[in-house]
Amino acid sequence: MDTNVQKRRENKKSLRIKVISLGNAEVGKSCIIKRYCEKRFVPKYLATIGIDYGVTKVQVRDREIKVNIFDMAGHPFFYEVRNEFYKDSQGVILVYDVGLRESFDALDSWLTEMKQEMGSQANMESIIFVVCANKVDLTKRRVVDESEGRLWAESRGFQYFETSAQSGEGISEMFQGFFSSITDMCENGGKRPNPEVSIGFTKEQADTIRRIRSSKDSWDMLGVKPGATREEVNKAYRKLAVLLHPDKCVAPGSEDAFKAVVNARTSLLKNIK
Ligand code: GTP
Ligand code: MG
């Protein structure tokens, strides 16, 4: 075969991508990457100093993918080092520790830092994000449950995985899903699929579930003022029931939110004349 034709075919099949890991210090970013690339786990904490860089090759369908992995340090101290490395990424692994709520709450600020550093280049639609709810092996200390993490991720169009770098749970599924989504995106002209279409629930449903989870009492949960009338309670209830009914809403946590709303209405109506 003509060597130029052969070269062009090979070029179409091979792909180079850059991925980065983000999340608070000590959540397990380096261990997740080590578990995948080296099939081992190191229990001793060795903080990443600034950035660790590695290359690996993976196969997605008929394409060979050369993956450049930039493993970021989570400690604020290394901000000046890592801020150089956000640009030109096709994939981001966002990691939090299911036993540390602040590491989950910090995910938004990691996205903000990333957007800031990418500046005018910040086209988040051309990046695949996966969220790792890590250290799921430590069940007793878990404080962020699956539906909460999944809702945060999926409402942004990000894939969600429960992982343990220690046991290996979810790690290869996560990387396979991640690399195949990046390949799909590259083959789709560099745009990821529309999240509203692929996730099957709306931002209003996601925001309502989040609001219900963090409400302080039954009034707050139904979104009515303390001392509201039966009519006001019933009206608010009906609106939420339509929005969150499990037959209509597939958002993570919708079933629990729906039950909580039913209970809130029952307990309020008991005390309203
Ligand atoms: P920085 O590099 O400082 O940003 O931290 P990191 O996010 O890379 O964390 P690292 O991977 O170094 O892991 C931190 C600590 O958590 C280490 O002591 C690991 O052994 C431990 N660890 C990581 N993943 C898991 C896990 O899935 N389960 C358990 N039990 N421990 C884990
Ligand atoms: Mg690290």
Side-chain angles (χ1 to χ4, degrees), residues 8 14 19 24 27 38 45 48 67 69 77 101 132 139 167 169 178 180-181 198 219 227 229 237 240 251 260:
R8 274 204 301 277
S14 66
V19 305
N24 279 8
V27 294
E38 298 173 24
Y45 175 44
T48 303
V67 188
I69 306 178
F77 180 76
R101 178 158 290 278
C132 293
T139 47
S167 71
E169 181 182 337
F178 186 45
S180 97
S181 299
S198 56
W219 303 108
T229 62
Y237 164 77
L240 288 170

Side-chain angles (χ1 to χ4, degrees), residues 145 147 208-224 233 236-238 240-241 244-246 253-269:
D145 72 17
S147 64
T208 305
I209 293 168
R210 260 191 289 269
R211 191 187 61 71
I212 287 169
R213 291 185 78 114
S214 62
S215 56
K216 55 183 191 301
D217 56 32
S218 299
W219 303 108
D220 192 27
M221 186 175 288
L222 288 184
V224 294
V233 167
Y237 164 77
R238 274 196 298 273
L240 288 170
L244 299 175
H245 195 282
S254 59
E255 221 171 295
D256 286 344
F258 180 74
K259 279 185 206 150
V261 165
V262 171
N263 291 339
R265 174 194 181 227
T266 312
S267 79
L268 289 180
L269 290 184

Side-chain angles (χ1 to χ4, degrees), residues 41-248:
F41 173 71
V42 183
K44 190 171 179 291
Y45 175 44
L46 289 165
T48 303
I49 308 297
I51 268 283
D52 269 344
Y53 170 70
V55 187
T56 187
K57 276 187 184 160
V58 295
Q59 187 76 25
V60 177
R61 298 186 292 272
D62 62 340
R63 295 190 86 144
E64 186 180 83
I65 321 280
K66 189 172 173 193
V67 188
N68 295 284
I69 306 178
F70 291 80
D71 176 25
M72 306 266 210
H75 199 282
F77 180 76
F78 294 112
Y79 166 70
E80 296 292 344
V81 184
R82 67 172 180 260
N83 64 6
E84 300 288 323
F85 292 90
Y86 283 111
K87 290 195 172 96
D88 303 316
S89 307
Q90 278 87 32
V92 176
I93 306 170
L94 280 165
V95 185
Y96 67 93
D97 174 346
V98 296
L100 290 173
R101 178 158 290 278
E102 61 269 29
S103 72
F104 175 64
D105 293 339
L107 294 179
D108 281 312
S109 51
W110 282 103
L111 289 180
T112 306
E113 180 179 302
M114 178 174 178
K115 274 187 211 159
Q116 242 164 30
E117 293 315 316
M118 288 172 61
S120 57
Q121 217 203 27
N123 182 2
M124 304 300 255
E125 294 312 307
S126 298
I127 302 170
I128 297 292
F129 291 85
V130 287
V131 175
C132 293
N134 194 41
K135 307 199 188 183
V136 293
D137 56 291
L138 301 172
T139 47
K140 283 204 183 114
R141 64 186 274 283
R142 182 161 190 165
V143 291
V144 184
D145 72 17
E146 180 180 347
S147 64
E148 198 175 357
R150 193 177 277 286
L151 185 67
W152 187 91
E154 293 183 355
S155 60
R156 286 163 178 79
F158 304 168
Q159 292 174 59
Y160 170 89
F161 293 90
E162 301 247 300
T163 59
S164 165
Q166 193 250 24
S167 71
E169 181 182 337
I171 303 288
S172 54
E173 291 87 336
M174 183 277 286
F175 277 103
Q176 263 160 25
F178 186 45
F179 295 141
S180 97
S181 299
I182 294 175
T183 309
D184 290 347
M185 183 184 71
C186 293
E187 288 173 355
N188 185 34
K191 245 182 115 58
R192 71 180 154 109
N194 180 357
E196 286 265 323
V197 174
S198 56
I199 61 179
F201 59 87
T202 63
K203 183 170 182 305
E204 187 189 9
Q205 287 171 324
D207 290 345
T208 305
I209 293 168
R210 260 191 289 269
R211 191 187 61 71
I212 287 169
R213 291 185 78 114
S214 62
S215 56
K216 55 183 191 301
D217 56 32
S218 299
W219 303 108
D220 192 27
M221 186 175 288
L222 288 184
V224 294
K225 287 197 190 102
T229 62
R230 292 182 81 83
E231 287 71 34
E232 284 166 335
V233 167
N234 278 326
K235 196 172 159 206
Y237 164 77
R238 274 196 298 273
K239 199 170 160 223
L240 288 170
V242 168
L243 192 67
L244 299 175
H245 195 282
D247 288 350
K248 300 245 171 61

